[in-house]
Amino acid sequence: FYVTINTNGFVAFADPPAEDEYLGKMPSSFNMIAALLGDLDSSDGKGRVYFREDSSPDVLSRSAEHIKRAFPRDDGVEPTSALVVTWENMVAQGTLGRGDELDAKRNTFQLVVASMESSSCAILLYPIGGLQFLYTSVGGEAKLLEAGFNEGLVKSWWSWSASQGTYFRTTTDEETSIRDLTEKTTSGQAGVWVYEIGSSPFFASITPGMASSLRDEENTTEPPVTLLPRQPDEQTTMDFSTHEPQAGPEEEEEFPTPAPAENQPSYPDIVVVDEDENLDVNVFRYNLETCAHNSHKCSAFADCRDYSDGYCCHCRPGFYGNGKDCVADGKPQRMSGEVNGRVFVGNSTFPVELGNNDLHSYVVANDGRAYVAISNIPKSLGPSLQPLSSLGGVIGWAFALEQPGYQNGFSVTGGVFSRQAEVIFQPGNERLSIKQRFEGIDEHDHLVVRTDLEGRLPAILQGSSVQINPYKEIYQYDRNFITSSSNRDYTVTSPDGAVQTRSYQWRQTVTFQSCPHDEATRPAPSTQQLSVDQIFVMFDADNNLVRYAMSNRIGSVHSESSDVPEQNPCFTGRHGCDINAACRPGEGLQFTCECTNGFTGDGRYCHDIDECRETPQVCGSNAVCSNQPGTFRCECARGFVFASDGKTCIGTSDDRPVDHCQRGTHDCDGPERALCSYTGGSAYACSCLPGFVGNGRGCRDVDECQQERCHRDAVCSNTQGSYTCQCQPGFHGDGFRCSPTSSEKTQCERHRESAQTATATSGSGFFSFLRPRPAVGQYVPQCNEHGAYEPTQCHTSIGQCWCVDANGQEIPNTRTGPGSTPLCELTDDAVTPPPVGPTPRPDVHPVAPGTHLLFAQSGKIEHVPLDGYNMKMEEAKPLLHIPDRVVIAVAYDCVEKMVYWTDITGPAISRAGISGGDISPVITTDLQSPEGIAIDHVARLLFWTDSMRDTVEVSKLDGSQRRVLFDTDLINPRPIVTNPARLYWADWNRDGPKIEMSNMDGTDRIVLVKDDLGLPNGLTFDLDNQQLCWADAGTRKVECMDPHRRLRRKIVEGIQYPFSLVSFGRNLYYTDWRREAVVAVDRQSEKETEEFLPQKRSRLYGITTTPTQCPQAYNYCANNGGCSHLCLPRLGGFTCRCPDTASAGAPCEERNL
């Protein structure tokens, strides 16, 4: 029979049709095994598919083991051959080059079809760490991946017609079934699924394995298995009846995916390449682990050596480590990571929760001095963490100053190890468990560490200091196992001067994986002693930081200060070499300082070598060099990608046609101005979008208002790429045709008439025919020729003038005395809404005119039109698909018609036009858990909260000029909303929830609400009624408050679990986690009026509205207020502020106005 392997995650036993005939439309008409079916992509060169037929004893034995575990009652399981297919680093189609880093989500999985004498079995293997994405976009809809066996169309013996045969699904329409692929089993081993599929033709009867419970991992000694290297006989298709493997040179073949002709079937192809042993997938092992296949897995500063049963990496002279990670002698090392856990303090019955608290460390390697800081530590915990210097002590051990013949932790482990420690404090017998995972050196040259704490600490009073005496610790070494234990004393000095000496017992184990093939490699001595002194610990209460510092040396357990080697300054750290230098010992007390790799100088002073300038061709041709301290980085130039060696840049056009439009390697103007059109091969064309002119590589906006396209009684507003027309006050129409409105008076005209009528003569007779006149001293508002309020209002009787907003409300702090008139201005942004945007992308569905609700649900944002206040549920549609993202908060910019959202999987803040256009990343760095977002459409500002960084931050709408407004007295900030010049946010800290308010410049911060709160998740501001409303999942209420008069009112109670809230007119709309619904509440009747249940049931997150017009408001920051950088409004004025990170250009000046 004939086999076709497809990049979309399946193996077919017949020619498959075009993918639009089976993706999202299973069961299909053809015979197939779907290992993980979806619209997958491998066109960037990172995704690979490879396969082979294999009859080697090792593979057949491993196949038989899986089958026997799945079917323990079967005897005589003897596979005769196996088809092995692996899909590696596949991405969801359409995610490459979209700019939001979603293409970093990649799945790897494997299928083995084991043939036996009377039957066949399918073995499906999925990664231990979980799948990175669960959906792909099919026809603009997010579709779950699926797996199963499809028999296709089958002809019956009594009829010429065909009917659909067996379709045995191993997954369902629920997300959990896809996640379970990596966690459950039919063979007793997580992520391994075995099915008997019959003989050819397959799938007439499918029998799943019987071992659905996991084996006891503690009793198994089977080593972890890795991916197999590619064999010389692998090819793209094979006929098992005629195929005979042929030996030959190992070559790399690449098969491009041709652009499908219109209405013709599309056949995604494959790429055959080497495999990567570091992928965390349970599959089969070969003994062909040689440097020829694996040298690229060694550090750039290491050599690969072959041994009889494998290969090992060895750091070169001048470097140390395990060969996979190598660090230059004497080079300072940085570490970063997170601390999580639950810690009880003293006799407290409530734990202190730690959630991704930042840990940073810096080690001066040439003297063994280590510095560690952990941030955002609550004051209730910080003082009691001071004795726990061993949190940083393991870092000191990893980079301890080595004595002759001894090795520090990094030399042994290479920075990849696990550490578990148990601490018992005396005299109270408190116990604390510490688990740490060191994950090696990342792309930023930082050693990554994850820390978990669980247990109890003895209480130490706030303001107490702790002193830890120098200590020595004995480390016992085995090949992959290290243990140590010690007793340590520490002294606590209380604020009143009382001194108390305490102690604790310390036991720890370190596990790691050494290279098993080199028996001749010099192992670390079986016993070593770590000497630690100059220990400094403190809790910085002002910044909520715990700091540790210590000096570390590793050497002999018999070392004494009188030993000559110990006296050499290189072994004591008292040498005076530059921190970027290695100390080289000589005889006696002699030594020299040598700048470490990447630096130059005399050793006492070292400066960075700019390799990019001194060796221009260091990265090779078609590459760009970027200098970094002590090293450099190479990146391929546009139009080139790294070859399989990870070093050589090859032209994409040399290997296969490339869609530069999809990849983002074109030179067209930005996607908001130009369109890139793929024209076949590697060619493309650039054209300007409607509303722009140019050659496609440079496009400029057309000012349609200069072309007099609007009616003469309308206001034209030009925007980027389009324009809008709006009839002036006193006229009605669509802006292209406007007619006078004679029967309806404006708000200002009604106000003026009311003021005049109130003071006019009310009698009859002659005086009743006179025009009403105000009494002396009466204020009468001034309206312009269109019936709108004049921005400047004056009361001549008292000689005062002031500014008003569009509703005639006085703007605070603008009133002036006689002879002085304030400068009042209404923002143009608030008057005329902008137009529709650029051409929509396939996964953005334009929103029709009118007000809509937008809400987030899993990996998409949906919209529901509003008819008045009623939800038009039948017209609900997805606005935007963002597969495998968790969108939390959404906000809408009524000026540019853009939706902004936060997601915690990136994490990132992004935006897109509701009428189309590409997704644009706004903030992608220095985020941990952005959960709230708000837009100030007047000053053009973006505000957000981060519940892990515990910050409230601000930036321009494009993400520039970023500044932290608040980073104190915050525990779990989530919702945030704006009211011109004002900012409101809620903190759902379970120990003290609160709702706060401040000016947008961060001044006048106050707590508005702190009583009778539980989990204030949702927050909204009703501008018309000046009401701040919130939804509380703890008290199960929706309440509102006038923030000026502090009048609080309950709207509804007894709700279930609200998450987000938005106000529109008389209604409030909130999302509910438990009901998985959008719920409408009428504030006047104080009752729920409607419930919308999306078609797909899952948790709903943020919600907002898309008003057709922006509320009018006074713009304190018109023309950026004359500020050099950030203009932040406040009541009655504004403040010029500098961003937290300075940028090149004009100097920044801060001032208050």
Side-chain angles (χ1 to χ4, degrees), residues 59-75:
V59 170
L60 297 183
S61 173
R62 185 61 62 90
S63 299
E65 289 177 12
H66 285 303
I67 297 171
K68 288 176 182 178
R69 292 195 195 108
F71 300 100
R73 298 178 182 177
D74 289 2
D75 297 325

Side-chain angles (χ1 to χ4, degrees), residues 40 51 122 246 291 318 324 361 399 439 446 464 474 508 707 728 797 901 995 1043 1148:
L40 307 180
F51 64 91
Q246 301 292 325
C291 290
K324 296 286 182 77
S361 178
F399 293 96
E439 301 175 352
H446 289 197
S464 299
I474 305 299
Q508 70 172 347
Q707 303 170 6
Q728 295 180 359
S797 298
W901 67 90
I995 299 174
C1148 184

Side-chain angles (χ1 to χ4, degrees), residues 554-631:
I554 193 82
S556 169
V557 295
H558 306 296
S559 62
E560 298 292 340
S561 60
S562 59
D563 291 347
V564 172
E566 298 291 335
Q567 292 299 308
N568 190 290
C570 289
F571 306 134
T572 64
R574 300 183 179 92
H575 44 66
C577 298
D578 189 272
I579 62 172
N580 292 303
C583 182
R584 304 298 186 192
E587 293 191 11
L589 300 180
Q590 300 299 311
F591 68 94
T592 58
C593 298
E594 179 182 316
C595 292
T596 192
N597 188 65
F599 292 85
T600 185
D602 61 4
R604 299 281 179 172
Y605 171 75
C606 301
H607 61 271
D608 176 51
I609 298 173
D610 188 343
E611 295 88 351
C612 301
R613 184 181 63 185
E614 297 192 6
T615 314
Q617 296 302 315
V618 66
C619 287
S621 58
N622 305 317
V624 177
C625 181
S626 173
N627 186 61
Q628 296 178 336
T631 185

Side-chain angles (χ1 to χ4, degrees), residues 189-398:
Q189 186 173 356
V192 181
W193 301 72
V194 179
Y195 299 87
E196 185 177 2
I197 59 177
S199 57
S200 179
F202 294 146
F203 319 141
S205 175
I206 306 293
T207 304
M210 302 169 62
S212 59
S213 59
L214 299 178
R215 291 180 293 152
D216 186 355
E217 298 297 336
E218 294 181 0
N219 297 328
T220 180
T221 58
E222 180 180 342
V225 288
T226 56
L227 286 175
L228 309 84
R230 178 172 64 89
Q231 296 300 293
D233 57 356
E234 291 179 327
Q235 58 183 39
T236 56
T237 59
M238 62 182 71
D239 187 336
F240 285 141
S241 63
T242 60
H243 176 70
E244 295 183 4
Q246 301 292 325
E250 186 136 334
E251 296 179 355
E252 197 170 277
E253 295 185 70
E254 295 190 345
F255 299 84
T257 303
E262 191 168 349
N263 298 325
Q264 296 297 316
S266 171
Y267 301 98
D269 244 314
I270 65 175
V271 181
V272 183
V273 295
D274 292 342
E275 304 184 15
D276 183 352
E277 74 167 10
N278 292 323
L279 289 165
D280 201 14
V281 182
N282 276 330
V283 289
F284 303 91
R285 179 188 295 278
Y286 275 106
N287 290 327
L288 298 178
E289 294 191 354
T290 64
C291 290
H293 295 93
N294 299 287
S295 61
H296 63 281
K297 297 168 187 172
C298 298
S299 166
F301 308 111
D303 296 317
C304 185
R305 298 177 196 167
D306 283 320
Y307 297 90
S308 59
D309 57 350
Y311 72 96
C312 290
C313 303
H314 300 280
C315 296
R316 296 170 185 158
F319 298 85
Y320 65 101
N322 67 346
K324 296 286 182 77
D325 283 318
C326 298
V327 171
D329 290 342
K331 179 183 177 182
Q333 184 60 47
R334 288 177 169 83
M335 271 141 284
S336 60
E338 297 169 344
V339 179
N340 293 278
R342 301 181 341 133
V343 180
F344 295 84
V345 178
N347 297 320
S348 172
T349 58
F350 297 99
V352 178
E353 303 276 353
L354 297 175
N356 293 331
N357 295 58
D358 288 335
L359 181 151
H360 295 285
S361 178
Y362 181 80
V363 179
V364 182
N366 63 15
D367 67 7
R369 186 75 173 162
Y371 303 87
V372 181
I374 306 174
S375 63
N376 297 323
I377 299 297
K379 292 179 174 59
S380 58
L381 174 63
S384 301
L385 277 177
Q386 292 178 96
L388 214 60
S389 63
S390 295
L391 272 176
V394 67
I395 297 171
W397 164 76

Side-chain angles (χ1 to χ4, degrees), residues 340-628:
N340 293 278
R342 301 181 341 133
V343 180
F344 295 84
V345 178
N347 297 320
S348 172
T349 58
F350 297 99
V352 178
E353 303 276 353
L354 297 175
N356 293 331
N357 295 58
D358 288 335
L359 181 151
H360 295 285
S361 178
Y362 181 80
V363 179
V364 182
N366 63 15
D367 67 7
R369 186 75 173 162
Y371 303 87
V372 181
I374 306 174
S375 63
N376 297 323
I377 299 297
K379 292 179 174 59
S380 58
L381 174 63
S384 301
L385 277 177
Q386 292 178 96
L388 214 60
S389 63
S390 295
L391 272 176
V394 67
I395 297 171
W397 164 76
F399 293 96
L401 190 62
E402 296 175 334
Q403 308 304 299
Y406 295 87
Q407 295 176 286
N408 61 25
F410 191 87
S411 294
V412 175
T413 68
V416 179
F417 62 91
S418 297
R419 177 225 203 183
Q420 182 158 350
E422 194 77 22
V423 191
I424 304 175
F425 294 87
Q426 300 298 343
N429 205 41
E430 296 90 350
R431 294 171 180 261
L432 183 74
S433 172
I434 303 172
K435 295 180 180 179
Q436 290 180 299
R437 301 187 314 279
F438 287 76
E439 301 175 352
I441 295 177
D442 66 8
E443 67 274 14
H444 304 295
D445 213 25
H446 289 197
L447 180 61
V448 179
V449 57
R450 314 288 181 192
T451 302
D452 290 284
L453 305 179
E454 189 78 27
R456 187 177 296 274
L457 290 171
I460 294 179
L461 292 176
Q462 177 76 34
S464 299
S465 62
V466 172
Q467 181 177 348
I468 300 176
N469 298 326
Y471 61 87
K472 299 181 186 299
E473 190 170 62
I474 305 299
Y475 282 73
Q476 306 285 344
Y477 289 74
D478 199 349
R479 172 169 283 277
N480 296 314
F481 195 74
I482 303 171
T483 62
S484 70
S485 62
S486 65
N487 293 321
R488 303 180 191 173
D489 294 330
Y490 63 97
T491 302
V492 179
T493 303
S494 301
D496 60 4
V499 178
Q500 183 181 10
T501 299
R502 303 178 184 176
S503 65
Y504 58 79
Q505 298 172 344
W506 176 272
R507 294 194 303 269
Q508 70 172 347
T509 59
V510 173
T511 56
F512 63 100
Q513 183 63 51
S514 62
C515 186
H517 309 302
D518 180 15
E519 297 295 337
T521 299
R522 176 179 63 87
S526 60
T527 304
Q528 298 189 111
Q529 178 173 275
L530 179 70
S531 300
V532 183
D533 58 13
Q534 302 181 58
I535 305 167
F536 168 81
V537 299
M538 72 166 292
F539 174 59
D540 182 351
D542 292 334
N543 295 300
N544 293 335
L545 288 173
V546 174
R547 301 183 186 274
Y548 307 107
M550 62 212 72
S551 294
N552 309 270
R553 288 183 295 161
I554 193 82
S556 169
V557 295
H558 306 296
S559 62
E560 298 292 340
S561 60
S562 59
D563 291 347
V564 172
E566 298 291 335
Q567 292 299 308
N568 190 290
C570 289
F571 306 134
T572 64
R574 300 183 179 92
H575 44 66
C577 298
D578 189 272
I579 62 172
N580 292 303
C583 182
R584 304 298 186 192
E587 293 191 11
L589 300 180
Q590 300 299 311
F591 68 94
T592 58
C593 298
E594 179 182 316
C595 292
T596 192
N597 188 65
F599 292 85
T600 185
D602 61 4
R604 299 281 179 172
Y605 171 75
C606 301
H607 61 271
D608 176 51
I609 298 173
D610 188 343
E611 295 88 351
C612 301
R613 184 181 63 185
E614 297 192 6
T615 314
Q617 296 302 315
V618 66
C619 287
S621 58
N622 305 317
V624 177
C625 181
S626 173
N627 186 61
Q628 296 178 336

Side-chain angles (χ1 to χ4, degrees), residues 9 11 33-36 50-52 62 66 83-88 107-113 122-127 131 191-193 225-229 234 275 281-286:
V11 171
I33 300 177
L36 199 61
Y50 48 89
F51 64 91
R52 68 176 172 279
R62 185 61 62 90
H66 285 303
L83 169 65
V84 182
V85 186
T86 306
W87 290 264
E88 177 187 279
N107 285 340
T108 295
F109 49 96
Q110 189 173 58
L111 164 68
V112 178
V113 180
I123 307 170
L124 296 152
L125 305 108
Y126 301 98
L131 296 168
V192 181
W193 301 72
V225 288
T226 56
L227 286 175
L228 309 84
E234 291 179 327
E275 304 184 15
V281 182
N282 276 330
V283 289
F284 303 91
R285 179 188 295 278
Y286 275 106

Side-chain angles (χ1 to χ4, degrees), residues 1084-1097:
Q1084 297 177 4
S1085 63
E1086 299 182 353
K1087 293 181 180 179
E1088 293 183 0
T1089 58
E1090 274 188 305
E1091 177 185 68
F1092 169 62
L1093 299 173
Q1095 184 176 5
K1096 178 188 173 185
R1097 302 300 300 277

